[in-house]
Amino acid sequence: MKKHLVLTIAATVLIGLTLIGCGKKSSAASSRTVKVGILQLMDQTALTEARKGFESELAKAGYSGKRIKLDYVNAQGDQANLKTMSDRLARDKNDVNLAIATPAAQALQKADKKTPLLFTAITDPKSAGLVTNLEKPDKNATGVTDLVAVADQINLLHQTFPQAKTIGLMYNASEPNSVYQIKHAKARLKQLGLRYQIRTAATTNDVQQAAESLAKDVDALYLPADNVMAAAMPTIGKVAKAHQIPVVPAASTMVKDGGTITKGINYRDLGKQTAKMVIKLLKGTAVKKLSVEKPAKVETVKNEVMLKNIKQTVHLPK
C-alpha cells in the first residue's frame, strides 16, 4: 500500500513538472519576437493605407512592442530599389514578408522563394506569376487582392453619367494590374455600345500631358487601380475639373484624391484583412492552406466637390 502511494505521489510530481516545463516552453514561444519584412512599391495613398491597416491589425492582435520587429522599406517606384530591398529582406530571414503592390511582390518572390510571402493591393496575382492556383497556393505566396469587378465600375459610370458616350482610358502599360483591368473595361464598354480612347503614361511626369490630350476628346475618364495614376490623381483631378468631366477610378482612395465616384474598397480594411492571414501563418498555418482572398467589402464612394463640377446630367445611385 505504502509503495503504491509513493509511486502515485512521484507520478503526480513528475506530471506537474512536465506541465510546468511545457508552460514555460509555450510562454517562451508566445513571447518570441516575430520578424516581419514589409516592401512597399511607392508612396501612394492606397498602398500606404493598406500598410497602416496591416500594422494596426497586428498590434490589435498583440503583435506590438518587443513582440514584433517590423522592417519596413519603400522602393519609391524604382526597380533597382525593389531588387536591392528584396535581396536584403531575403537575407534577413524574416518569419514572413509582406509585399504591397504587384512589382514589390514579384521582386520579393524572385529574391526569396521559401519565406512565406503575403501580398496586398494586387489585382491579379495569377497573371503576375505569384500563384498558379488561387484556392490552393502552390508557391510561397498568398494574400488579398484589391480586385473589384471592372464591369460593375463601368456600369456605374454609364448609369451615373448617361450622356458620356466616349470614355477615356488612361493607364501605365507596364503594370500588369492595369493591363488586366483595361482589357475588361474595353470589353464592357463595347457591350454597352460606348466608344473609348486610350492614353498611356509610364511615370507621374507623363500624366498631365496624357490627361490633357485625352480630356478634350472624351466625355468621362476611367482609370484602373494603377500606381502611376493613383500617385498622380490630384493632377488628373485638376485636368478633369477644368474640362468638367467625371473621373471614375478603380480605387476608392483615388476618388478622395481627385476622382468623382466609384465602387471600390477601403484599403486600410484591405491591410487589416491581410494581417489576419499573417497571424494565421505565424500561428502555424501553412501558405498552401490559405486561399487567396477577395476584398471583404465593396462600397460606392463619392467626391461631392467633383460631382458638383460636372456639366453633364448626373444620376446618382440610390
Side-chain angles (χ1 to χ4, degrees):
M1 178 68 76
K2 288 182 179 179
K3 184 178 180 181
H4 178 72
L5 180 60
V6 170
L7 288 173
T8 301
I9 293 171
T12 302
V13 171
L14 182 61
I15 291 171
L17 290 172
T18 301
L19 290 174
I20 290 171
C22 288
K24 286 181 179 178
K25 287 181 182 179
S26 176
S27 176
S30 64
S31 63
R32 180 179 70 86
T33 298
V34 169
K35 295 172 63 180
V36 179
I38 302 176
L39 176 58
Q40 183 172 323
L41 173 64
M42 64 194 300
D43 285 323
Q44 189 253 84
T45 304
L47 306 187
T48 300
E49 283 292 296
R51 176 172 55 82
K52 288 180 177 178
F54 178 82
E55 292 174 354
S56 68
E57 188 65 26
L58 284 179
K60 182 180 175 182
Y63 292 94
S64 59
K66 293 182 179 179
R67 197 178 174 197
I68 189 168
K69 180 183 177 183
L70 291 175
D71 187 358
Y72 163 64
V73 287
N74 189 320
Q76 301 298 346
D78 185 273
Q79 281 297 133
N81 288 343
L82 280 176
K83 184 181 186 312
T84 301
M85 292 172 177
S86 294
D87 289 342
R88 183 172 73 73
L89 289 176
R91 289 195 302 270
D92 289 346
K93 299 187 182 302
N94 295 312
D95 294 288
V96 62
N97 288 319
L98 171 72
I100 309 176
T102 300
Q106 290 173 320
L108 255 177
Q109 192 176 58
K110 185 176 181 180
D112 185 350
K113 293 179 171 58
K114 293 183 178 180
T115 303
L117 170 63
L118 265 289
F119 51 74
T120 194
I122 286 177
T123 302
D124 187 13
K126 196 171 179 179
S127 292
L130 301 170
V131 296
T132 55
N133 189 322
L134 298 176
E135 294 298 322
K136 296 179 180 179
D138 50 351
K139 299 184 181 181
N140 66 323
T142 187
V144 186
T145 76
D146 62 359
L147 180 63
V148 177
V150 174
D152 289 347
Q153 293 171 335
I154 296 297
N155 289 344
L156 177 68
L157 186 159
H158 184 48
Q159 292 160 9
T160 308
F161 311 105
Q163 291 179 312
K165 303 302 180 185
T166 302
I167 312 303
L169 305 175
M170 191 163 67
Y171 68 107
N172 177 7
S174 66
E175 282 198 32
N177 285 350
S178 304
V179 174
Y180 176 86
Q181 291 169 84
I182 290 297
K183 175 183 175 182
H184 286 269
K186 290 192 291 186
R188 185 57 186 153
L189 289 169
K190 286 181 180 179
Q191 290 173 347
L192 293 171
L194 300 175
R195 299 180 296 275
Y196 59 81
Q197 291 194 28
I198 295 175
R199 299 289 188 281
T200 59
T203 70
T204 53
N205 294 329
D206 304 323
V207 168
Q208 182 158 358
Q209 183 177 352
E212 291 282 3
S213 170
L214 197 54
K216 61 184 176 61
D217 294 327
V218 300
D219 306 310
L221 294 174
Y222 174 77
L223 308 174
D226 181 300
N227 290 298
V228 170
M229 298 303 120
M233 202 60 218
T235 298
I236 297 170
K238 287 180 183 178
V239 172
K241 193 171 185 179
H243 290 269
Q244 295 182 291
I245 60 173
V247 182
V248 177
S252 56
T253 50
M254 294 167 75
V255 173
K256 178 183 176 183
D257 291 342
T260 310
I261 190 171
T262 196
K263 281 189 174 181
I265 60 173
N266 182 308
Y267 275 82
R268 191 169 290 233
D269 288 344
L270 195 78
K272 291 179 180 180
Q273 188 176 342
T274 310
K276 290 176 181 177
M277 295 183 73
V278 167
I279 291 167
K280 290 178 181 178
L281 276 174
L282 294 175
K283 290 182 176 180
T285 303
V287 169
K288 64 182 180 181
K289 297 288 186 180
L290 295 174
S291 299
V292 174
E293 296 182 7
K294 296 178 181 178
K297 184 181 179 182
V298 176
E299 56 190 0
T300 300
V301 182
K302 297 175 287 187
N303 184 325
E304 297 293 349
V305 173
M306 294 299 286
L307 276 168
K308 290 176 182 177
N309 183 65
I310 304 303
K311 65 181 178 180
Q312 306 170 26
T313 299
V314 177
H315 293 161
L316 288 175
K318 295 180 180 180

